[in-house]
Amino acid sequence: LKPNQTPAEESKRNAALEAVKHVNNWSIVGLGSGSTAALAIEALGERVKHENLNILAIPSSYQAFQLAIEWRIPVTTLEEHPIIDITIDGADQITPELNLIKGNGAAQTREKVVAVATKLNIIIADETKKVKTLGENNQPVPIEVLPFALGLVKRKITELGGKPTLRETKGKVGPVISDNGNVIMDADFGTIINPAELQTKLKAIPGIIETGLFIDLTDIAYIGTPTGTERTEKQRK
Ligand code: 5RP
């Protein structure tokens, strides 16, 4: 246990510590993004340092890349290693079926590329991320959009019953620009009864690069509590 940790941090760290136990020597490891994934990168860094763990990492964002450098985890690229053994990432919402909404950190496109390239996807989160149905509690779906297509995408999302909002930055005026040079629309669809169908409809709109709906991509979830973790597994289709 680290000093001055809040119960929320403790929960996230417990999940992260459980997940990194799955990482074996000589693995290619996908690094997720966000505050929970950052704790897994730290824990991996500790294993690299103290256990001589030999791994090559593929970061899913500029944040994850910087953390890998900070923790001295060697990085590689998907071009060199198109198959990733294991990825550890966070989520904004997670259902009992292990479907997710991701993208609060605007990294969902690269996170999904990494997830699809991965053999074993592990999601880590605290209990606040657990939901019955995606989209509950006014959670929007983060959608990465080509700036040129913004007007069209906004109209099409509205036609699908969503309420789109352009994500604004903090610390600078104007929209959030993703690591890929695009903008983020947060689209509130209410509770999403059929997320796979919504994903197909959204991906059919030109200008939508990727959405934060992660359907049938997760193998194991560790939900951390201040005192332990709860594990859920799913056989992917
Ligand atoms: C970034 C993500 C994150 O994994 C997600 O937002 C969870 O972040 P945190 O662990 O900070 O709550 O999808 O795009």
Side-chain angles (χ1 to χ4, degrees), residues 131-157:
V131 292
K132 250 185 107 189
T133 314
L134 295 179
E136 267 175 35
N137 311 325
N138 307 312
Q139 167 69 50
V141 179
I143 299 173
E144 181 160 354
V145 181
L146 185 74
F148 176 77
L150 205 53
L152 172 73
V153 169
K154 244 184 189 167
R155 177 161 71 81
K156 292 284 186 187
I157 286 175

Side-chain angles (χ1 to χ4, degrees), residues 175-217:
V176 166
I177 305 296
S178 72
D179 286 359
N180 314 307
N182 298 306
V183 293
I184 305 293
M185 301 241 60
D186 288 305
D188 185 351
F189 289 94
T191 51
I192 303 165
I193 304 305
N194 191 337
E197 186 185 68
L198 180 60
Q199 169 66 10
T200 305
K201 285 182 176 166
L202 288 170
K203 278 302 288 278
I205 301 170
I208 286 187
I209 313 284
E210 194 46 84
T211 87
L213 291 169
F214 281 52
I215 313 304
D216 202 32
L217 285 174

Side-chain angles (χ1 to χ4, degrees), residues 92-101 127-137 139 223:
D92 302 310
Q93 286 195 332
I94 176 160
T95 67
E97 300 79 34
L98 304 192
N99 290 330
L100 317 172
I101 289 182
E127 289 178 298
T128 61
K129 308 294 182 60
K130 275 168 73 171
V131 292
K132 250 185 107 189
T133 314
L134 295 179
E136 267 175 35
N137 311 325
Q139 167 69 50
I223 304 294

